[in-house]
Amino acid sequence: MLRACQLTKTFGGLSVLLDVSLDFRPGEVHALMGENGAGKSTLMKLLAGLYRPDGGEIQWRGRSVRFATPHDALTQGIAMVHQELMPIPDLTVAENLMLGMEPVNAWGWVDHAELHRQATTWLRQLGTDLETSRPMRTLSVAQMQVVEIAKALARQADVILMDEPTAALSDHEVSALFKAIATLRQRGVTVVYTTHKMDEVFRLADRISVLRDGHLVATKPAGEFTPASLITQMVGRELAQVFPPVTTTPGEVILTVTQLTREPAYRDISFTLRRGEVLGLAGLMGAGRTEVVSAIYGLQPADAGAIRLLGKPLVLTSPADGLTAGIGMLTEDRKGSGIIPAMSVQHNLTLAALRHYCRGAVVDASAEKAVTRQAAADFAIKSSGPAQAIQQLSGGNQQKVLLARALLAAPEVLILDEPTRGIDIGAKAEIYALIGRLSAQGTAVLLVSSELPEILALTHRILVLRQGELSAELNPRQTNQEEILRHAMPR
Ligand SMILES: Nc1ncnc2c1ncn2[C@@H]1O[C@H](COP(=O)(O)OP(=O)(O)OP(=O)(O)O)[C@@H](O)[C@H]1O
Ligand SMILES: [Mg+2]
């Protein structure tokens, strides 16, 4: 159906894909695996007509093709769901979904009733009852992701390229997506899929191809890989341990949250956090986890309740306040409120701690550069240098810059909202080790994560949020995924 023949792509003299040859068959789910920056998104963008290859060619139904634009590829039957979402914020859900294929009435006007009807049908296929008249900008990241996938379904393409489609989805939406993929496969549609969630690959993929540093290192039926062999292929070495053991004992209470309430998002949230403690916050998408932590770092203050840090009441009206008070934050929404896309890696990194690099009113550029180089080394951030625009980095590497930024200010309390989203297995292990080190140094960590294995392995205590209320406090050594989910499910 679709074939990559010796594809090569370079950016500024750097080869990010080299001589990659792969074929994609009708009705297969083909997983592309690899570390952050391995070239997965780049390969997909070549196939989707977003980038032009510097060498090699793409064959479509046996003929060599050159797509001038993504629209070209789309009309041929190749659609892509992007890793970094690109919705048009002021259009409605239906308008975004049906963009460029709006149904018209006899007078040639857009038939809005029909538009919403069709959009609803596609969304239902993904098991969601999202209102089609809502403006895109009011949606959560997860909801935008669902719309983006529905958009590809609506195009009825023969090949759908999905770049980390489940990165922001809840379990419920993930199973709906998997059902939709099963249907597509039966219809003979080719699904090319990337993910950093190892369990997904083995549930979904017929074949797996592994990219490492822009080279294709393996392509085989999924059954011929084991999780361990796949990881070894991806990282090029054996990974000794993914999760470090929890060894520290939490100290005195440093953060006290009392009866925090902001209707309708959450109510009556009370808990404490100790020095060196890693506290997990589990719950389904929409349970209010992100909203609760946003109040604690000052993004979206609560209507009622109190937060005390080291005994002193905290009144935060902005993340800058939070930072000054000693609360660091890694946001869930990398694109919306995390990075400044066009700015350099260096500036994105030092943004929060800029006052440390100032002599009077002047930024000490060499100090700033030195810090950036150090962070790049500590976190294994892959970039062409401190001056590269952050939007050119692979998704996972952008996340590492943000994490490094949150740590530069040496916070007392560190809030991590989905810190390993979109991060490869090797880098995940690095981040887990880092959380362990921070905890040993006495930093209190509040970890919001949808990856239950991560919450279970890393924390001292787990709080479960259900529909805006605390439904359980669990000991991670004495609980399991099923019990957490039971407390998380709406009643
Ligand atoms: N527009 C661009 N300009 C310069 N370099 C780029 C550009 N797009 C990608 N790169 C570089 O190409 C390499 C491969 O990036 P790509 O996004 O394909 O990685 P990936 O495998 O999708 O990683 P991730 O798992 O983090 O999403 C990276 O080193 C990245 O910095
Ligand atoms: Mg990518």
Side-chain angles (χ1 to χ4, degrees):
M1 181 80 110
L2 178 66
R3 182 169 269 159
C5 307
Q6 298 182 300
L7 283 184
T8 294
K9 181 72 190 166
T10 49
F11 287 112
L14 229 67
S15 302
V16 301
L17 271 188
L18 246 161
D19 237 2
V20 170
S21 298
L22 258 183
D23 58 64
F24 302 94
R25 303 167 191 167
E28 77 165 340
V29 177
H30 195 132
L32 284 181
M33 300 294 288
E35 290 187 290
N36 297 131
K40 305 177 296 292
S41 298
T42 303
L43 177 57
M44 284 189 161
K45 286 174 183 171
L46 286 169
L47 296 172
L50 213 78
Y51 291 159
R52 233 73 55 77
D54 296 312
E57 64 169 24
I58 296 167
Q59 288 178 4
W60 176 237
R61 299 182 191 282
R63 301 207 346 248
S64 170
V65 284
R66 291 174 147 271
F67 300 128
T69 62
H71 186 74
D72 254 13
L74 198 58
T75 46
Q76 297 280 326
I78 302 176
M80 175 157 177
V81 179
H82 286 274
Q83 178 176 11
E84 307 295 336
L85 303 174
M86 313 176 175
I88 304 175
D90 289 327
L91 296 186
T92 63
V93 166
E95 287 162 346
N96 263 283
L97 210 163
M98 303 296 295
L99 198 67
M101 46 184 288
E102 296 85 354
V104 290
N105 59 22
W107 293 280
W109 298 95
V110 171
D111 181 344
H112 283 280
E114 179 61 14
L115 178 84
H116 283 274
R117 200 192 57 75
Q118 290 186 12
T120 306
T121 311
W122 295 114
L123 287 168
R124 289 280 182 286
Q125 285 208 8
L126 290 170
T128 168
D129 49 11
L130 198 64
E131 244 335 293
T132 55
S133 56
R134 277 177 64 179
M136 204 65 181
R137 97 182 94 72
T138 66
L139 269 52
S140 70
V141 179
Q143 291 167 326
M144 286 189 202
Q145 185 77 64
V146 171
V147 175
E148 201 73 10
I149 296 164
K151 195 171 161 180
L153 294 185
R155 276 22 181 206
Q156 306 201 27
D158 300 311
V159 175
I160 302 185
L161 307 156
M162 299 188 181
D163 200 356
E164 296 188 42
T166 61
L169 298 190
S170 67
D171 286 346
H172 167 71
E173 291 154 334
V174 170
S175 24
L177 173 65
F178 284 11
K179 268 197 217 120
I181 289 179
T183 315
L184 290 172
R185 175 203 261 148
Q186 271 168 12
R187 282 196 220 138
V189 174
T190 307
V191 176
V192 185
Y193 194 98
T194 69
T195 182
H196 288 294
K197 301 183 185 170
M198 299 300 285
D199 52 335
E200 275 182 8
V201 202
F202 290 99
R203 275 167 69 189
L204 267 186
D206 299 303
R207 284 198 299 155
I208 301 177
S209 294
V210 182
L211 288 172
R212 195 194 309 147
D213 293 327
H215 296 272
L216 183 72
V217 293
T219 179
K220 291 194 288 201
E224 293 177 23
F225 285 98
T226 62
S229 75
L230 178 56
I231 291 173
T232 306
Q233 291 280 12
M234 285 168 60
V235 304
R237 64 191 146 84
E238 276 179 46
L239 208 57
Q241 120 185 336
V242 176
F243 295 113
V246 175
T247 51
T248 52
T249 314
E252 83 274 17
V253 170
I254 65 171
L255 185 81
T256 312
V257 173
T258 328
Q259 297 186 316
L260 217 57
T261 300
R262 187 169 66 78
E263 294 289 0
Y266 55 86
R267 63 210 64 85
D268 206 16
I269 305 292
S270 300
F271 63 88
T272 57
L273 183 60
R274 294 173 176 278
R275 209 175 273 291
E277 183 176 35
V278 182
L279 178 63
L281 200 51
L284 301 181
M285 199 66 58
R289 294 168 303 169
T290 294
E291 287 79 0
V292 169
V293 298
S294 308
I296 301 175
Y297 76 90
L299 181 67
Q300 203 166 36
D303 296 334
I307 304 166
R308 301 174 77 86
L309 182 66
L310 295 162
K312 282 187 302 217
L314 270 190
V315 184
L316 306 174
T317 53
S318 73
D321 285 357
L323 206 62
T324 317
I327 299 182
M329 167 65 194
L330 177 70
T331 160
E332 141 190 71
D333 180 9
R334 176 162 72 219
K335 197 167 184 211
S337 50
I339 63 165
I340 303 179
M343 251 165 56
S344 66
V345 171
Q346 169 171 327
H347 290 344
N348 269 285
L349 187 76
T350 55
L351 205 57
L354 208 53
R355 64 197 155 87
H356 296 304
Y357 312 106
C358 288
R359 289 209 210 98
V362 183
V363 177
D364 180 346
S366 66
E368 202 189 349
K369 194 167 280 165
V371 163
T372 310
R373 289 203 190 285
Q374 189 60 47
D378 290 350
F379 290 82
I381 295 168
K382 234 175 124 178
S383 75
S384 66
Q388 189 175 16
I390 194 167
Q391 63 193 356
Q392 293 179 354
L393 265 55
S394 79
N397 280 298
Q398 294 182 8
Q399 184 77 338
K400 290 191 203 171
V401 173
L402 291 185
L403 186 60
R405 165 164 98 193
L407 290 177
L408 269 186
E412 303 267 2
V413 173
L414 179 64
I415 299 174
L416 302 174
D417 196 356
E418 305 285 0
T420 61
R421 169 179 301 161
I423 291 215
D424 71 54
I425 183 80
K428 269 183 190 158
E430 286 165 30
I431 288 178
Y432 298 152
L434 182 80
I435 292 175
R437 281 203 302 280
L438 288 169
S439 143
Q441 289 162 14
T443 309
V445 180
L446 187 53
L447 173 67
V448 178
S449 174
S450 302
E451 300 226 5
L452 293 179
E454 179 170 300
I455 287 229
L456 280 166
L458 295 175
T459 62
H460 293 91
R461 225 166 14 118
I462 301 173
L463 300 176
V464 187
L465 222 63
R466 172 204 283 147
Q467 296 174 307
E469 285 167 19
L470 283 182
S471 57
E473 177 177 330
L474 302 169
N475 178 344
R477 290 335 133 230
Q478 289 163 10
T479 186
N480 53 35
Q481 302 203 18
E482 288 71 34
E483 191 184 11
I484 298 178
L485 278 174
R486 216 168 39 243
H487 289 291
M489 284 305 213
R491 275 202 287 227

